[in-house]
Amino acid sequence: MNSSGDAKVKHDVSFTVNGEVKRLRVHPMERLLDVLRNELGLTGTKEGCGEGECGSCSVLLDGLLVNSCLVPVAQADGSNVVTIEGIAAHSLLHPLQKAFLECGGAQCGICTPGMILAAVHLLEKKPEPTQAEIREGLAGNLCRCTGYMQIFEAVTKAAQQRVAT
Amino acid sequence: MANSKEGHIVGTSVPRKEGRDKVTGAARYVDDMALPGMLYGATVRSTIARGKIKKISFDPGVAWDEFVVVTAKDIPGKNCIALILDDQPCLAAETINHPEEPILLLAHADRHKLRKAVEAVSMEYETLPPVHTLHESEKQSTIIWGADNAFKTFLVEKGDVDSVWTDAAHIVEGEYFTGAQEQLYIENNGVIAAFDPQHGVTVWGSLQCPYYVHKALVALCGLPEDKVRVVQMETGGAFGGKEEYPSMIAGHAALLAMKSGRPVKIVYDRMEDMVATTKRHPSRTRHRTAVSRDGKILGGEIEFVIDGGAYATLSSVVLSRGTIHAGGPYYWPSVRIRTKAVATNTPPHGAFRGFGAPQSLFAMERHMDRIAEVVGISPIEIRRRNFLKPGQTTTTQQTIHENIDLDQLLSRALELSDYHAKKKHFAVENKTGARKKGMGIATFLHGAGFTGSGERYLNSLVGVEARADGVVRVLVSSAEFGQGTNTVLCQIAAEALNLPYENVVIAQPDTTIVPNSGPTVASRTAMIVGKLVQSAATGIQHTLTKTGLLSEAYTPEQFRAACREYIAAHGSLKSEVRYEAPPGVYWDDEKYRGEAYAAFAWAVYVAEVTVDLTSYRVTVDDFVALQEIGKVLHPVLAEGQITGGVAQAIGFALYENVVWQDGRMLNNQMTNYIMPTSADLPPIRVFFEQNGNIHGAHGAKGIGELPMDGPAPAIVNAVEDAIGVRFHSIPLLPEDLFQAMQELPPAASSLLPAPAREAQ
């Protein structure tokens, strides 16, 4: 939603995405979401509302869960960004990804990348979350397909597996 | 009780076919795709509800020669969105019939410039008096469509309803309203179109019905059928909202691509999607019911009216389903159902999960509680005394042949929800404090597949092909948009061929590759398309056994060897099956009488709510959804359909309020149009009964829409149970509760469930 793609006002920014350092020349007010999707080809991060309500564009910015549609890329300069593409270890799915698959946590899939990042963030803070903490932790990410129940199941299952291992 | 041998794949929760791509972010939605030289498209829309375009001006401050500009004059074919009636233009040429009507299209390589250019086009209009409500439209003081503002009317008559009133112990009347609802798929509408003179138009998009878009583009672009190709990309939710609208946005992108010769992407942002695309039809239902002293329905009149918006689109079909479901799962010795879809100057309302049934069933299920109260029996008992039983006929005089026992289904739901104990407990608890608790039920049915003769007209065709490597591919135009089409159809084919699930794949819906298996709507995919896939898969097996390449029992390796050999000799191995109407099915389109659906799913839902009289908020604390759906093909997916539908219906009942101003949605943002979050929902507890269904694959019935029907009336019934105030309208917002409580007479301020009080 920024106002200009004018080359004159482009700046150098650099940040780490999924462990790789990226250097770009972009307008500083370009949304991080657009830079990830259009400049870096990381299209797993989705746009749902463009105003920070739905959470589909969630990424981790220095370990914090943010809506990348509300983050100007200048703010990401020098930071560490994790997107859905950085969650699996190559072909090995993250326990949350596996649990989402098994429990039916993904239906249409458009909220799934953001939802998984929110769940990753939640389990980082609270490795053994209660049901209330799961509901609270995911409340910034809207899902229109599942009614959330199978997402709660998936997060619970992944948490149990992580604690067990 | 399924009608085939118990399978090793069907009935198990195999991994979702495209699931891995979805959890890793690899799944490709249309906005994830770009083509070389691609432009972005945008739409200039009307700012008035009704009138004529007098002049279009372009701000001279914009370098217009950089832009592709398309108006109605550039349309090579017919300026319409071909669907049922061709009354909706693709671009308004002169007449405007609703706010946000598309008038002009722009394309440019730079999205930022495009946004400014849209604002730099201005219109001068001559305005005409608009009609904004169903009520105004019915009065016909201003005619905005046809001769009488009516897109469609139906009349269902059974028995002699005029004779029941004199002997009735009670005559119970009621009027009920439901509001518009936004589908709110998280992925907005979007397409990419490309054109070249040799291959014609290709569209990639987020859509439910590839062949609907195909039909619309053939008419709009004036191209032969083989010069239009439609490809469905991964689709981020639809719920009916991508049934008809994709034909519009695909048409726009195609026109820009044809004029510019370059690929054009149009992806709406949230505000444009919400303000311009279809929503659930607002409705009004009136009931007048004759009831005997012991609570038996003797007969009744039902009048059901829906607001269709400015153009006919699918309103006649939505009305049809609402009409047939209006009598609920009850036996009506006589009934007269008059229904109408009327025009207003708002963007057309359209398909949304449930398709008219949630509206008329809301009224029926609220009205049953009202009848119970008048008769002086419980909401449970009134339903027990009127449930349809096998051998009886529905309002359209369809005989129930299924072995359904609604009495038993209700008993089980009451047990699962601990209904009686909770009622007793709440009666004591509610005497003090500001938090009042209540229990509500809804009992209902949902017909699977197209209504009446619909499936015969669709004449669906499906294919299954085997490759030389032994992998089998399902060929259907039925789209995956979360509900599990890919998975379930592959399960069915694998089961039929006795192959591992992994050996079956499904083709991406592409009209140059897949046959027309009909639209992905009406809870028809698993039941009807699934059954055709089963037959087509069996056809492959028959071909191989008939030619002696395969014996009765075989391993996947033997199957592969047989395929390889057959294909070496004949070039390919493919089996196609076309829909055949089951014998003995009778439907009269004129009288609206006969077998409306091949099968019904049946359900009893129980809601437990708290009404907080300090904040005026209603919360649902527990929700039991019990349904009979024939056969559960995939337990995890089936449960997900129910929990998702119930959540959407809780939104319909308590949160989702479309605010209209002069025919335009005012709150077209996720910030002010509120859907349930993970923190808002109760545990949604799902239970199935499986009686089978001879018309569906492995005994399956439709499931997707059913859960949309019951929650709203169950919740509003529970609210009445909690505070003794009758509400007739949804969404039921805190403001409505506040107002109703303010209007109560002071004597009633003890807030105890005395005889219920009226509220609007």
Side-chain angles (χ1 to χ4, degrees), chain B residues 315-334:
Chain B
S315 287
S316 59
V317 201
V318 172
L319 184 70
S320 158
R321 188 169 279 270
T323 302
I324 295 169
H325 286 74
Y330 307 110
Y331 175 63
W332 296 78
S334 68

Side-chain angles (χ1 to χ4, degrees), chain B residues 69-81 88-93 102-103 105 216-222 248 251-252 254-256 258-259:
Chain B
V69 182
V70 162
T71 69
K73 290 192 191 103
D74 295 298
I75 294 172
K78 195 174 166 196
N79 183 11
C80 74
I81 302 300
Q88 184 178 24
C90 180
L91 291 171
I103 297 171
L105 306 168
L217 290 176
V218 165
L220 179 76
C221 302
M248 176 70 83
H252 291 167
L255 292 173
L256 285 166
M258 287 178 90
K259 185 147 181 188

